[in-house]
Amino acid sequence: NETFLPRMREKTDKMEENKATRKLRVCVATCNRADYSKLAPIMFGIKANPDEFELEVVVLGSHLIDDYGNTFRMIEQDDFDIGSKLHTIVRGEDEAAMVESVGLALVKLPDVLHRLRPDVLVVHGDRFDALALATAAALMNIRILHLEGGEVSGTIDDSIRHAISKLAHYHACCTRTAEQHLIAMCEDHTRILLAGCPSYDKLLAAHHRDDYMDIIRNWLGDNVKEHDYIVALQHPVTTDIKNSIKIYELMLDALISFNKKTLVLFPNIDAGSKEMVRVMRKKGVEQHPNFRAVKHVPFEQFIQLVCHAGAMIGNSSCGVREAGAFGTPVINLGSRQTGRETGENVLHVRDADTQNKIYHALELQFGKRYPCSKIYGDGNAVPRILKFLQTIDLDEPLQKTFCFPPVKEWDISQDIDHILETQSALAVDLGGTNLRVAIVSMRGKIVKKYTQANPKTYETRMELILKMCMEAVIDAVHLNCRILGVGVSTGGRVNPQEGVILHSTKLIQEWSSIDIRTPISDALHLPVWVDNDGNCAALAEKKFGHGKGVENFVTIITGTGIGGGIIQHNELIHGSTFCAAELGHIMVSLDGPECMCGSRGCIEAYASGMALQKEAKRLHDEELLEVEGMVDLKKAESVSAIHLINAARLGNHKAEAVLRTAGMALGVGIINILHMVNPSLVILSGVLAAHYQAPVQQVIGQRALTSAQSIQVLTSDLEEPALLGAASMVLDYTTRRIY
């Protein structure tokens, strides 16, 4: 631990020195029109930073086939220099042809990669061409960045995608669930970036074009109207070709009967595609007045067509991903996208066995509009990916390491206890007085807890945390608990994305600008999540308490200080600088008592345990605290908030007045929260919660807007919210690592 910070500084200095002396040589390989839409924004970003990167472009696969539009030309039109064009497709469009295409790519790629000598190869998705790229690069000791790993779609694509993930050294995934899957696949969490989908950067920035009607008319004719046409895109399912061709035939029949203008894109090059084209021609789609059949639409124009369509139908990933960003209604047919995360705009027809079923789905969806969904990105993926690339240390060992969960030292293959072991989290709660560590089961049971006094210096505190965590990990084996990761709850302002404590409370000394994730993760070889104790209390309620199943609620901690967390649309709010939900520092008076934050009139200055203790000592010094029935108080140092509460219960009017003011201040502060974020529930946690429940509910009833007066105030039933909240970050992978 004494050498940790110097080593980190030395490593950073070395990376900065290397960065100053050489550029990162990045090779982007694109195989088809679909993956180029994801890779192009990254390519533009790399090209825009010539001081940092050198870009090489390799084109292969269906880009170079006339039947699929010779889409390599759009790459040239985007002004990218194509370093190599590899004809790798063996014609036939059946299973054997796909295998032969992979083999042909593997024969041609070594010469290209040897000539280009990239530092990093960027590979996208789950295509068989991409598998060839990843295999060649891995065997030639070239670092691989895989885009869109960890997703699930339910076909052979899953196997290919996961195989590429295991070959790749770095991952830029699109969704939190995909990130969880990669971690569950034992990928190193420090090499996983939750970036979002790169196509969303272009998609969200460009879909509000003024000329969208010109684009629609260009592809579908002058008489077509907005939201009054359909985009159809269906690909073969290589594990069930016969059925996918049948679904395609039924879809075309349903579209002909539905009698709306329809843009039909040719299927991709997978096995079965030629048969699907034969079906399309047999139906006369290319000559039908309602249809326009095309091999390729430029991505910028395709965005406009999908955005303003009355519906999209088929089994393309675009339907369950990009279309959701516009709220376009989608009918997803068959099993090709089974397992994909989707917004509410998608209607699944898994068993599309009749024309009537598909026709009825069109009736239900056509012309609707849904809320826009950003499950797959927020439009800022490329800056994150570029920064992620800049952090790659080329001096680090190339050999991948996998983060396997700890196992017992003896053979457990036939051990019934191993089969029955409990998945658990290691929870760390760093308080002003005590440092606590606990093993917490998936159901929220604290299996074992460890408590020590919190040391005053950084070095001794860090040493004790690691020692207690190591002891808990060893005990977990004997307690039949599998530790999935470590969650840390601490006071102060925290950057949960980086695992850094930015500013701590005055109760925890030498605890600012501290990277707590790295030393714990390095010592235990486990993923680590960190957050503020108020946020952890909210997460605990969400998983184990009154907030379970509640979409919007607020948790208020009433203890030594006042804190809390806000859950909005099932997500924890952190804010732009990670200081959202500083509920204790909502001001309820312009000239109230001084708060520890340096301001005046904060809720914490009125209603916290420290504020009540201060008032109790004042009354004691003035000999106004003790009443008949109270235990004699000899020293002012022993007076606490509890004595003030007891005095009030025994009829001490001065104590009652203090508590009435405190309850009023807390109630007014909570009303401000109700009027700002409009939660459906308020949960009071901490040692003073039961005392404040009735006064707060009364103030809300008297002073809140009518629409907020009925909001319920409950006291928490959880005994250890900080520990349970820290555990929930692990058990649900609540936070994310993001740049």
Side-chain angles (χ1 to χ4, degrees):
N1 293 319
E2 293 176 357
T3 61
F4 170 72
L5 289 176
R7 279 192 286 110
M8 287 298 294
R9 282 194 291 268
E10 182 181 344
K11 180 179 176 181
T12 303
D13 292 343
K14 190 174 183 181
M15 288 176 65
E16 291 296 327
E17 182 180 345
N18 290 339
K19 182 179 173 183
T21 56
R22 61 163 297 183
K23 302 175 185 179
L24 190 72
R25 194 173 180 83
V26 181
C27 178
V28 178
T30 173
C31 311
N32 54 64
R33 67 191 182 197
D35 78 14
Y36 182 66
S37 69
K38 315 295 176 67
L39 294 168
I42 300 173
M43 293 162 64
F44 281 113
I46 292 172
K47 190 176 179 180
N49 289 273
D51 295 336
E52 302 286 344
F53 305 106
E54 290 182 24
L55 175 65
E56 293 289 347
V57 180
V58 173
V59 173
L60 65 159
S62 62
H63 273 308
L64 303 170
I65 297 178
D66 182 62
D67 285 353
Y68 294 89
N70 281 324
T71 49
F72 74 90
R73 293 196 183 100
M74 66 182 178
I75 303 173
E76 294 176 335
Q77 289 168 1
D78 285 338
D79 202 25
F80 289 114
D81 295 326
I82 299 176
S84 296
K85 295 177 184 174
L86 297 180
H87 291 271
T88 58
I89 298 300
V90 176
R91 305 307 294 269
E93 286 76 32
D94 59 9
E95 297 95 328
M98 287 197 300
V99 177
E100 291 169 357
S101 297
V102 171
L104 182 58
L106 287 172
V107 169
K108 293 186 174 184
L109 279 167
D111 286 342
V112 173
L113 294 176
H114 183 74
R115 173 171 56 83
L116 297 179
R117 295 186 181 278
D119 297 319
V120 179
L121 175 71
V122 180
V123 179
H124 168 269
D126 49 28
R127 306 289 301 140
F128 58 84
D129 325 68
L131 179 60
L133 283 162
T135 303
L139 291 173
M140 294 181 70
N141 290 326
I142 296 170
R143 298 168 194 271
I144 302 166
L145 170 62
H146 183 208
L147 305 180
E148 296 189 11
E151 296 184 18
V152 177
S153 58
T155 67
I156 189 64
D157 293 350
D158 278 348
S159 299
I160 295 174
R161 187 185 311 109
H162 299 334
I164 296 172
S165 291
K166 300 316 292 181
L167 292 167
H169 304 81
Y170 306 93
H171 309 273
C173 57
C174 296
T175 70
R176 186 177 303 177
T177 300
E179 180 190 39
Q180 295 172 18
H181 290 162
L182 287 169
I183 293 172
M185 290 162 63
C186 301
E187 292 299 304
D188 184 349
H189 75 281
T190 65
R191 294 190 172 194
I192 301 171
L193 171 70
L194 179 54
C197 183
S199 69
Y200 270 53
D201 289 27
K202 201 169 187 179
L203 177 143
L204 294 175
H207 80 276
H208 292 297
R209 281 175 53 165
D210 295 334
D211 62 344
Y212 69 88
M213 283 307 303
D214 294 335
I215 294 170
I216 293 169
R217 293 186 183 112
N218 179 56
W219 289 98
L220 287 160
D222 292 336
N223 296 325
V224 71
K225 297 178 181 178
E226 184 180 6
H227 304 323
D228 197 37
Y229 64 90
I230 297 169
V231 174
L233 181 52
Q234 179 90 359
H235 300 303
V237 178
T238 56
T239 50
D240 193 3
I241 295 173
K242 185 176 179 181
N243 186 52
S244 64
I245 293 169
K246 180 64 176 175
I247 292 174
Y248 189 64
E249 186 175 5
L250 294 172
M251 179 190 77
L252 293 177
D253 288 338
L255 287 169
I256 291 169
S257 300
F258 200 66
N259 198 31
K260 288 290 181 182
K261 285 284 186 181
T262 302
L263 181 73
V264 180
L265 279 84
F266 277 57
N268 65 20
I269 201 167
D270 283 350
S273 60
K274 283 293 184 186
E275 185 60 35
M276 292 176 77
V277 173
R278 290 189 194 101
V279 168
M280 182 174 69
R281 286 174 174 158
K282 181 181 175 182
K283 300 282 182 186
V285 166
E286 289 171 297
Q287 290 75 42
H288 196 287
N290 272 351
F291 287 83
R292 175 82 187 277
V294 298
K295 295 175 180 177
H296 169 67
V297 179
F299 183 68
E300 294 83 353
Q301 297 181 43
F302 187 63
I303 288 172
Q304 306 304 316
L305 291 164
V306 172
C307 177
H308 301 284
M312 185 174 184
I313 189 170
N315 64 2
S316 168
S317 62
C318 176
V320 298
R321 294 168 64 99
E322 283 86 349
F326 312 128
T328 301
V330 171
I331 299 114
N332 179 52
L333 303 177
S335 61
R336 190 170 183 265
Q337 302 301 335
T338 300
R340 289 271 193 201
E341 297 172 76
T342 65
E344 60 181 290
N345 64 308
V346 179
L347 175 63
H348 296 281
V349 187
R350 307 287 191 203
D351 188 14
D353 54 352
T354 66
Q355 175 187 335
N356 286 340
K357 190 180 290 186
I358 299 173
Y359 187 91
H360 185 54
L362 284 165
E363 286 184 317
L364 290 173
Q365 287 286 78
F366 186 78
K368 283 188 177 181
R369 301 315 290 176
Y370 288 91
C372 297
S373 166
K374 294 184 180 179
I375 294 173
Y376 287 94
D378 60 1
N380 297 296
V382 171
R384 294 176 185 134
I385 291 171
L386 295 182
K387 191 168 183 181
F388 191 48
L389 284 168
Q390 290 170 343
T391 66
I392 293 176
D393 183 359
L394 298 178
D395 293 326
E396 284 187 345
L398 182 67
Q399 176 61 48
K400 277 189 69 170
T401 57
F402 300 101
C403 295
F404 296 108
V407 297
K408 300 176 183 177
E409 296 178 359
W410 57 88
D411 182 11
I412 57 174
S413 59
Q414 298 299 320
D415 185 353
I416 188 64
D417 288 336
H418 173 67
I419 297 170
L420 298 176
E421 73 181 355
T422 304
Q423 290 189 329
S424 305
L426 206 59
V428 179
D429 176 32
L430 192 73
T433 305
N434 291 322
L435 173 62
R436 301 184 302 158
V437 174
I439 301 169
V440 182
S441 73
M442 189 65 77
R443 294 185 178 181
K445 177 186 176 184
I446 295 180
V447 180
K448 188 169 183 179
K449 185 167 64 175
Y450 313 76
T451 304
Q452 295 277 358
N454 193 357
K456 300 299 181 185
T457 64
Y458 164 76
E459 290 80 6
T460 53
R461 184 178 299 127
M462 209 59 239
E463 183 179 350
L464 182 58
I465 289 173
L466 295 177
K467 179 182 176 182
M468 292 173 72
C469 286
M470 289 296 294
E471 180 183 354
V473 167
I474 294 169
D475 288 348
V477 176
H478 303 293
L479 293 167
N480 217 31
C481 295
R482 176 180 296 183
I483 303 297
L484 302 177
V486 184
V488 180
S489 167
T490 180
R493 188 163 67 97
V494 176
N495 179 343
Q497 298 168 358
E498 300 290 347
V500 174
I501 299 165
L502 301 172
H503 302 292
S504 190
T505 65
K506 293 182 179 180
L507 299 175
I508 308 175
Q509 302 168 16
E510 294 190 26
W511 206 241
S512 295
S513 300
I514 300 297
D515 175 5
I516 192 171
R517 169 184 286 162
T518 302
I520 297 177
S521 181
D522 287 350
L524 302 183
H525 304 292
L526 289 170
V528 178
W529 289 265
V530 188
D531 213 331
N532 165 270
D533 52 6
N535 288 336
C536 285
L539 293 174
E541 294 295 338
K542 183 176 184 292
K543 185 167 181 64
F544 303 112
H546 294 306
K548 194 171 184 179
V550 180
E551 186 177 4
N552 303 295
F553 70 90
V554 174
T555 297
I556 314 286
I557 301 177
T558 57
T560 305
I562 300 289
I566 299 173
I567 301 291
Q568 192 78 354
H569 302 305
N570 292 314
E571 294 288 340
L572 186 64
I573 294 178
H574 283 104
S576 60
T577 57
F578 312 105
C579 65
E582 284 287 354
L583 308 182
H585 300 292
I586 294 174
M587 287 193 293
V588 293
S589 172
L590 294 179
D591 57 356
E594 186 176 357
C595 180
M596 287 185 68
C597 71
S599 184
R600 287 185 172 275
C602 299
I603 297 175
E604 188 166 291
Y606 285 102
S608 67
M610 292 183 66
L612 296 184
Q613 183 182 34
K614 182 178 178 181
E615 287 297 301
K617 287 182 177 180
R618 179 182 64 79
L619 292 177
H620 179 264
D621 291 342
E622 296 173 5
E623 298 184 353
L624 298 174
L625 180 62
E626 293 183 43
V627 294
E628 186 177 350
M630 285 183 64
V631 177
D632 289 342
L633 295 172
K634 302 299 183 185
K635 297 181 179 179
E637 289 76 19
S638 64
V639 176
S640 68
I642 299 301
H643 295 112
L644 185 77
I645 294 171
N646 289 337
R649 286 174 178 167
L650 293 171
N652 185 319
H653 298 303
K654 296 289 186 181
E656 288 175 351
V658 170
L659 292 176
R660 190 161 43 251
T661 301
M664 177 67 74
L666 181 60
V668 169
I670 290 174
I671 288 173
N672 289 331
I673 299 169
L674 301 184
H675 291 172
M676 282 189 288
V677 296
N678 193 30
S680 56
L681 178 65
V682 174
I683 303 170
L684 298 180
S685 180
V687 294
L688 299 172
H691 168 74
Y692 281 133
Q693 180 188 18
V696 166
Q697 191 78 71
Q698 185 178 13
V699 173
I700 291 173
Q702 293 171 346
R703 298 200 173 199
L705 292 173
T706 305
S707 56
Q709 287 179 1
S710 61
I711 291 173
Q712 194 175 12
V713 179
L714 300 177
T715 56
S716 174
D717 293 333
L718 303 178
E719 293 183 4
E720 298 283 3
L723 287 172
L724 292 177
S728 76
M729 292 192 290
V730 178
L731 300 175
D732 286 342
Y733 298 109
T734 308
T735 58
R736 64 184 82 181
R737 183 173 188 265
I738 193 166
Y739 284 91

